Amino acid sequence: MQTSLVLQNLLSAPVLFFFLGVLAAVLNSDLEIPSPLPKLFSLYLLLAIGFSGGVELAHSGLGRLVLLTIGAAVLMSLLVPITSFLVLRTRLDSYNAAAVAASYGSISAVTFITAQSFLNVLKVPFDGYMVAALALMESPAIVIGVVLARLSAGVLDKNPDRGEDRLDNEEGRGLRWGELLREAFLNGSIFLLIGSLVIGYLVAAFSPAGVEKMEPFTEQLFYGALCFFLLDMGLIAAQRLQELRKAGAFLIGFAVLAPLLHALVGLGIARLLGMNQGDALLFMVLCASASYIAVPAAMRMTVPQANPSLYISTSLGVTFPFNVVVGIPVYMALVLRFIPAS
Amino acid sequence: MQTSLVLQNLLSAPVLFFFLGVLAAVLNSDLEIPSPLPKLFSLYLLLAIGFSGGVELAHSGLGRLVLLTIGAAVLMSLLVPITSFLVLRTRLDSYNAAAVAASYGSISAVTFITAQSFLNVLKVPFDGYMVAALALMESPAIVIGVVLARLSAGVLDKNPDRGEDRLDNEEGRGLRWGELLREAFLNGSIFLLIGSLVIGYLVAAFSPAGVEKMEPFTEQLFYGALCFFLLDMGLIAAQRLQELRKAGAFLIGFAVLAPLLHALVGLGIARLLGMNQGDALLFMVLCASASYIAVPAAMRMTVPQANPSLYISTSLGVTFPFNVVVGIPVYMALVLRFIPAS
Amino acid sequence: MQTSLVLQNLLSAPVLFFFLGVLAAVLNSDLEIPSPLPKLFSLYLLLAIGFSGGVELAHSGLGRLVLLTIGAAVLMSLLVPITSFLVLRTRLDSYNAAAVAASYGSISAVTFITAQSFLNVLKVPFDGYMVAALALMESPAIVIGVVLARLSAGVLDKNPDRGEDRLDNEEGRGLRWGELLREAFLNGSIFLLIGSLVIGYLVAAFSPAGVEKMEPFTEQLFYGALCFFLLDMGLIAAQRLQELRKAGAFLIGFAVLAPLLHALVGLGIARLLGMNQGDALLFMVLCASASYIAVPAAMRMTVPQANPSLYISTSLGVTFPFNVVVGIPVYMALVLRFIPAS
Amino acid sequence: MKRIDLFLNEREVEKVCKAMLMAGASGYSVMRHVTGMGVGGEISEAMDFSSFGANAHVIVFIEASLLEGIREAVKPLLRRYGGVGFVSAAEAF
Amino acid sequence: MKRIDLFLNEREVEKVCKAMLMAGASGYSVMRHVTGMGVGGEISEAMDFSSFGANAHVIVFIEASLLEGIREAVKPLLRRYGGVGFVSAAEAF
Amino acid sequence: MKRIDLFLNEREVEKVCKAMLMAGASGYSVMRHVTGMGVGGEISEAMDFSSFGANAHVIVFIEASLLEGIREAVKPLLRRYGGVGFVSAAEAF
Ligand SMILES: Nc1ncnc2c1ncn2[C@@H]1O[C@H](COP(=O)(O)O)[C@@H](O)[C@H]1O
Ligand SMILES: Nc1ncnc2c1ncn2[C@@H]1O[C@H](COP(=O)(O)O)[C@@H](O)[C@H]1O
Ligand SMILES: Nc1ncnc2c1ncn2[C@@H]1O[C@H](COP(=O)(O)O)[C@@H](O)[C@H]1O
Ligand code: NA
Ligand code: NA
Ligand code: NA
C-alpha cells in the first residue's frame, strides 16, 4: 500500500516537474525561469488557494470542528517553534536557532497544495477551510521566532557592544514591535493569502455569480500553474541543497526528522478532533512543512543577525523536497491506517 | 435600489481585490506585483477586450446606431478636453491644464471592463461594438490636448527664452506633428487595442473556428486576470492618492466632479441616440473615465513641461477609484431611471 | 486551392497577430512586450507541446512508423547542416557558415505549433509523436554545427596566433566536448521540451487523471498564448529583418530557398515512409524551419567567432516569417497534391 | 578617458544615445528599471504597466576630447525632458 | 562632487534612501535585481518569488561636504543588515 | 582602491566572476539586462526569450594591488567572447 502511494505520488505531474527542475540544476543545464516569473506563479497560487478556501469556508460555515481545527493549527504554530528552538539551540546560536525554529512553526503553501492535488487524484475528499488554518499559521510562528531570538539574546541587547551603532541606540532597543507585527501580519504573501480568503468568503456569500466567473482562473489553471512553479522550486531547492552541505549533518538531520515528528503530532491531534482522512493529511502537512516564503523574508528584517542560508536551505533544500516526494505519501499511509474513513 | 447596486458592486470580486490592494498600500504591507507583471496583465486585457470587441463588431455589423455611437464617442473625446481645459486653466498653467484635460477626454479601459463585469452580473446585455468606441476615444483626446498646450503657450514658443536649447531650435518649433501623431495613434496600448479589434473582426468574419479556440484565453481567463490587475491598480491608486494631497483641493474636486458631469452628458447622448441600458452605462463610463495609460505616456513625450504627478494622480488616484467604486453603480441607477428597458 | 490555403493561413489569428507585431515595428510604435514576458510564453509553449506530445506518444506507442519518422528527422538534422555548410562556405567564413548551417538543421518550435494550428483549422489529423521528432532534431544540429566549425577552422587552432590568450592555451584547444554537449543537450529549451515530453508520457501511462487536470493549462490556453507570443515574434522578426539588409542578398536568398528545398526533401521522405497528410506537413515544416532559440544560444558559447546577427537574422528575420506566412500553406498544397489522403 | 553617467526617463534613452553616437561615442551601456529621486520628484516603477516608464542609467566611456561635444549634444535633451549627468575620470582596463 | 555606490539588500533600500535625504542628498538612483558576492556569501535572484529579494545598487552624487553626514547616517544600517559602500570623485556633467 | 566596470554578455558572467574570485577579489556585483552598443553592434533584450541574453554590468571594487592579476584573468575572456572593461579610482565609504 505504502509503496504504491509513494509511486503514485512520484509519477504525478507536479512531482515529476519538480524532479525535472532538480535534474536541470544537478546537470547544470541553463534552464532558468527568470525573475519575476516565479513571483507571478507564487502570487497566483496564493490568490487562488485563498479565494477557493474562502469560497469553501462560506459553504461550510464556521462550525465547531472548523474552529477547533483552526485553533489546533494556531497552537501548533506556537508550540513547534518553541520545541524546535530548544533542540536547535544545542548547536546554533540563539539568532539562528530562532530563525530556523520559526520556519518550522510556519507552513509551506506549495506543500499543502501538492497534498491537495494528491488527495484529488486519490479521490479522497477534504474540507476547504483547511486553507484558513494554513493562513493563520504564519503570523504566530513569526512572532514567536522573533520573541525567542530577543529573549534568548537579551543580555546582549542590554549591554550593546557596538557603541557607535546609532540605529540600535535610537530605535533598536529590545523588540521593535511595529516592525515585527508588520512583518508578521502584513508580509505580502500572508496578506494576499488572508485577503483572498476573505474575498472568496464575501463573494461566495454575497455575489455567488462571481465564484463561477473566477473558476477558470483560480481552479482550472491551478494544476498546470502548480506544475510550472514546482519546476522552478526544483531548480531552487537543488541549489539550496548544495549550499546546505556546508551547514552540516545536524541541520540536515533536523530538516528530515522534524517534519516526521511534527506530522505524527498532527496525526494525533487530527484523530483527537475527529477530522476526516483528507483533512487529517492536510493537517499533518501543515504541521510537517516549513516556511521558505513569509518567514525568511520576515526573519531577514527582524533577526538580521541570523544567517539566511541556514534557515532557507533547511526548509527549502531539505524539508520541502522531503515532504513533497516522500512525506505526503507516507503521511497518507499513516492516515489510512489510523484515521477511520468517514 | 441605488444602495443595493452600490453594495452589489462593492462586494464583487474585482472591486474587492481593488480594495485589497488599496488596503495593502495604506497599511504599508510589502505586497508588490513586480514589474513587468502589471504590464503583462495590461497587455492581456487590451488584447482580450480588443479581440472580443472585434468579434462582436463582426456579428453586429456597422449599422446606423453603431456608427452614431462611435461618432458620439469621438465627439466627446474632442469636447471634454476643451471644456476641461477652460476650467483647469483657471488654476493651472496651460501645459498642466492641457495634460489633465487630455486625460479626461480619453478613457480608462479597466473602468470600462469593470462596468462590463458589473453588467454581466446584473445580466443586463450590452453590445460588443462599444469597444470600438473605447478604442477610438484615445487618439483624438491626445491630439486635442497637445494642440491646446501649444496654442495656449504659443507666445512662449515664438520668443524662445532659452537661446542655447539646440533641440528647440532645430526641431522644436511649434507642433512636432510627427511625434504627436505617433504618440496619438502608435502608442503601444492604443495600437494593441485597435489591432486586436481588427484581428477579432477579421477572424470572426473569415475563420470563425479561430474565435472558439481563442475563447479560453480571451474570455474565460478574463475575469480572474481583471481581479489580479485590479489588485495592482489598488496598490498604485492608493500611492497616487497620497501624492495628490500636495496637488490641493481644486484638482481633487475636479477629479470627482468631472466624471459625474461627463457621465450626465453621456446619459443625455445615450438617451438621444436610443441606446439600450447596457450600452448607455458603458457610454457614460467612457465619458466619465480618464486615461492613465496612453495619455500620460503621450503627454510626457509631447508636453514635457507638464508635471506628470498632476495628470497621473488625478486620473489614477481619484477618478479611477471613484468610478470603479461609486461611479458605476450610481451611473447604473441613473440608467435604470432614465433609459427605457429594451 | 493553393490561394485559398494561403488566405486561410493569412486570416488566422496567430498569423494576424504576427503581422500586428511586424506592423508595430515597421511603424515604429512603442508597443513592447518587455522582458521576461516573452520568455514566459516561450517556456510555456515548450512545456505545453512537450507534455501534449508525450501524452500522445504514450497513446500511440513506439511503433515502426514512429521510430522511422523520428530516425528520418534526426537524419535530416545531421544532413541539412552539412549541405547548408557547403553552400554557405562559398561566401562566409567557416565559423559563420557553420553557425548558420546549424540553425537550419535544427527546428523552430513556433513554426511547428503554427502548422499544427493550421491543421486543426483544416481538420486534418496528425500524430502527437511528431513532437518527439521535433525534440530530437535540435541537439544533433548543434553538435554538427560545432564540429564543422572546428574541422574547417582546424589549421587555425593548431597554430594559434594569439599567443597571449591564456584561455585558449589552457582549455581552448580543439573541441571542448564538455561545453558542446552541455549546450547541445542541456540547453534550457531543449531540456524543458524533452523533459516535458517524458513527463507527459509518464503521466499518461501511470496517472492518467493528471492528463485531464493539465488540459486547461496545456491545451485550452495554448492557442491564445501562441497568438500573444507571435505578436512578440512579429516585433522581433521585423527588427531582425531590418538588420539583415546589411548581410546582403546572398544570405537573404539562402534564407528563402533553403526552407523550400528542405521542405521538398521532407516531402519525399514523408511519401517514402507513408506518413499521413498531417504528419507529412509537420515533417516538412521541421525540415524547412530554422532554429532561433536553442541554436543561437549554443553557437554564441561554442563558436563565439561567428557573428550572431548573421545566424539570428537569417532564421528569425527571413525564414521564420517566410514559413509562417507563405511556407505552411504552400507546403500544405504540396501535401494535398502528393500525399494520399488516408 | 572620461566616464559619463546619465539618469533620465527610459523613454528618452534612444534619443540621447543616438545623439551621443553622432557626437563620437564608440559605445554605451543602458540599464533600465532605475528608480530614484531628483528635482522632478520620486520616480518608481509603479507606472510601468502603462508605457510611462521609470528611469534609465546610461554609462558612456569616452576619450576626454569628446566630452565637450557630447555635452553639447545631450544637455538640451536633459533640459527638455529632465534628467541629470555626472562625469568622472577613468581608464581602459 | 563625490559619488557614493552602495550595495545592499533590496529590502533595506527605502530606509537607506530616507536616511540619505535626511542627511542632505538632493537625489539618488536605485537599481534593483543586483546579484553578487560579498562577505555575506552569494546573493542571487532565486528567492525573488518570496519577498526575500536580491541586492540593490544605490548611486548618489553629492557635494563633497555632505559626505561625512551621509556616512554617519548610512553606515549603521549597513552594519546592521549587511552591505558595502564605496566613494569616488565626480563632477557635474 | 580601484573600481573595475565590465560589460559583457550575460552568459559569460559566471566564468568572469569565478576568474576574478580566483584572482583575489573579495566580492563583486552584477547587473543583468543591460543593453548597449559596442564594436560588436547593438545589444538589446529582444532575444531574451531564447537564452541568448543581453549584456551584464559587473562592478568590482578591489585593492589596487590586485588589479594586474584580475586583468590577466579576465582579459582573455573578454577577447574570446567580446566585452569591454574600464578602471577608475575609488575608496572605501
Ligand atoms: N544626486 C543624484 N544622485 C544620483 N542620482 C540622481 C541624483 N539626482 C537625480 N538623480 C537621478 O536622476 C533622475 C532624474 O533627476 P531629475 O531630473 O532631477 O528629477 C532621478 O529620478 C534620479 O534617478
Ligand atoms: N568588492 C566588491 N565589489 C563589488 N561589489 C561588492 C563587493 N563586496 C560586496 N559587494 C556587493 O555588496 C553585497 C553585500 O556585500 P556583503 O555585505 O559583503 O555580503 C554583495 O552581495 C555584493 O553585491
Ligand atoms: N564606450 C563604451 N561605454 C560604455 N559601454 C560600452 C562602451 N563600449 C562598449 N560598451 C558595452 O560593452 C558591450 C560589449 O562591447 P563590445 O564587445 O565592444 O561589443 C556593449 O554592448 C556595451 O554594453
Ligand atoms: Na509547520
Ligand atoms: Na473620458
Ligand atoms: Na530544419
Side-chain angles (χ1 to χ4, degrees), chain D residues 7-9 34-43 55 78 81-84 86, chain E residues 1 25-30 59-62:
Chain D
F7 300 90
L8 65 161
N9 192 281
V34 178
T35 57
M37 171 77 85
V39 295
E42 198 173 348
I43 300 293
N55 286 336
L78 295 186
Y81 296 107
V84 297
F86 302 93
Chain E
M1 298 187 80
S26 66
Y28 55 79
S29 295
V30 179
I59 304 180
V60 203
F61 289 89
I62 46 161

Side-chain angles (χ1 to χ4, degrees), chain B residues 14-321:
Chain B
V15 175
L16 285 171
F17 275 105
F18 179 75
F19 277 129
L20 189 64
V22 170
L23 195 68
V26 167
L27 294 179
N28 206 11
S29 160
D30 67 353
L31 178 62
E32 188 203 15
I33 305 190
S35 166
L37 301 181
K39 179 97 181 188
L40 172 65
F41 286 98
S42 147
L43 290 171
Y44 164 77
L45 292 176
L46 291 171
L47 189 154
I49 56 166
F51 188 85
S52 310
V55 169
E56 302 207 31
L57 201 59
H59 294 160
S60 70
L62 281 169
R64 193 179 141 279
L65 183 56
V66 179
L67 292 174
L68 273 178
T69 304
I70 293 175
V74 172
L75 195 75
M76 282 301 282
S77 76
L78 294 168
L79 288 184
V80 164
I82 295 175
T83 55
S84 299
F85 179 78
L86 295 175
V87 173
L88 290 161
R89 193 66 188 77
T90 61
R91 297 289 188 95
L92 304 176
D93 65 46
S94 44
Y95 296 121
N96 281 308
V100 176
S103 291
Y104 283 82
S106 183
I107 50 79
S108 152
V110 180
T111 313
F112 182 83
I113 295 167
T114 311
Q116 285 187 327
S117 296
F118 185 67
L119 290 172
N120 278 331
V121 170
L122 296 184
K123 301 203 191 323
V124 174
F126 54 88
D127 286 303
Y129 60 73
M130 294 306 291
V131 173
L134 166 91
L136 296 177
M137 286 178 80
E138 304 232 50
S139 308
I142 292 173
V143 173
I144 288 289
V146 175
V147 169
L148 284 171
R150 295 304 165 111
L151 288 186
S152 165
V155 191
L156 208 101
D157 271 358
K158 275 172 207 141
N159 303 323
D161 52 355
R162 344 180 189 153
E164 84 285 21
D165 191 332
R166 205 175 66 169
L167 188 88
D168 263 12
N169 290 344
E170 272 174 19
E171 39 161 331
R173 253 193 246 292
L175 277 172
R176 305 180 192 192
W177 279 100
E179 192 172 63
L180 169 55
L181 293 179
R182 187 177 149 227
E183 288 297 327
F185 293 97
L186 297 175
N187 173 295
S189 54
I190 301 177
F191 188 84
L192 179 58
L193 181 61
I194 297 182
S196 302
L197 189 91
V198 173
I199 291 177
Y201 188 96
L202 292 174
V203 169
F206 298 106
S207 53
V211 173
E212 215 175 293
K213 297 186 72 183
M214 283 295 270
E215 241 165 47
F217 189 72
T218 51
E219 303 284 327
Q220 293 175 28
L221 226 58
F222 194 78
Y223 195 74
L226 173 63
C227 289
F228 206 135
F229 190 55
L230 277 169
L231 175 66
D232 187 56
M233 298 298 290
L235 281 163
I236 299 169
Q239 291 161 3
R240 284 287 157 187
L241 184 55
Q242 286 162 19
E243 198 170 287
L244 195 63
R245 271 177 292 169
K246 296 175 216 155
F250 172 71
L251 264 185
I252 299 181
F254 178 84
V256 171
L257 294 178
L260 277 176
L261 191 73
H262 298 152
L264 286 177
V265 177
L267 179 67
I269 295 177
R271 206 190 142 102
L272 215 77
L273 298 187
M275 293 184 198
N276 66 34
Q277 290 187 332
D279 292 359
L281 178 73
L282 295 180
F283 191 75
M284 288 173 78
V285 163
L286 288 180
C287 295
S289 69
S291 168
Y292 42 82
I293 298 193
V295 173
M299 288 302 126
R300 163 142 192 106
M301 293 304 281
T302 50
V303 191
Q305 300 89 341
N307 177 359
S309 83
L310 289 189
Y311 48 88
I312 297 180
S313 297
T314 33
S315 60
L316 183 51
V318 182
T319 302
F320 173 68

Side-chain angles (χ1 to χ4, degrees), chain A residues 222-252:
Chain A
F222 193 78
Y223 196 75
L226 174 63
C227 288
F228 206 133
F229 189 55
L230 277 169
L231 175 65
D232 187 55
M233 296 298 290
L235 281 162
I236 299 169
Q239 291 162 2
R240 285 287 157 184
L241 185 54
Q242 286 162 19
E243 196 170 288
L244 195 62
R245 272 178 291 169
K246 296 174 214 154
F250 172 72
L251 263 185
I252 300 181

Side-chain angles (χ1 to χ4, degrees), chain C residues 146-199:
Chain C
V146 176
V147 169
L148 285 170
R150 295 303 167 109
L151 288 185
S152 167
V155 190
L156 207 102
D157 270 0
K158 273 172 211 141
N159 303 324
D161 52 355
R162 345 180 186 153
E164 84 285 22
D165 190 333
R166 205 175 65 165
L167 188 87
D168 264 12
N169 289 344
E170 273 175 18
E171 40 157 331
R173 251 192 245 296
L175 277 171
R176 305 185 192 189
W177 279 100
E179 191 172 64
L180 168 54
L181 293 179
R182 188 176 148 226
E183 288 296 327
F185 292 97
L186 297 176
N187 173 295
S189 54
I190 301 178
F191 188 84
L192 179 57
L193 180 61
I194 297 183
S196 303
L197 189 92
V198 172
I199 291 177

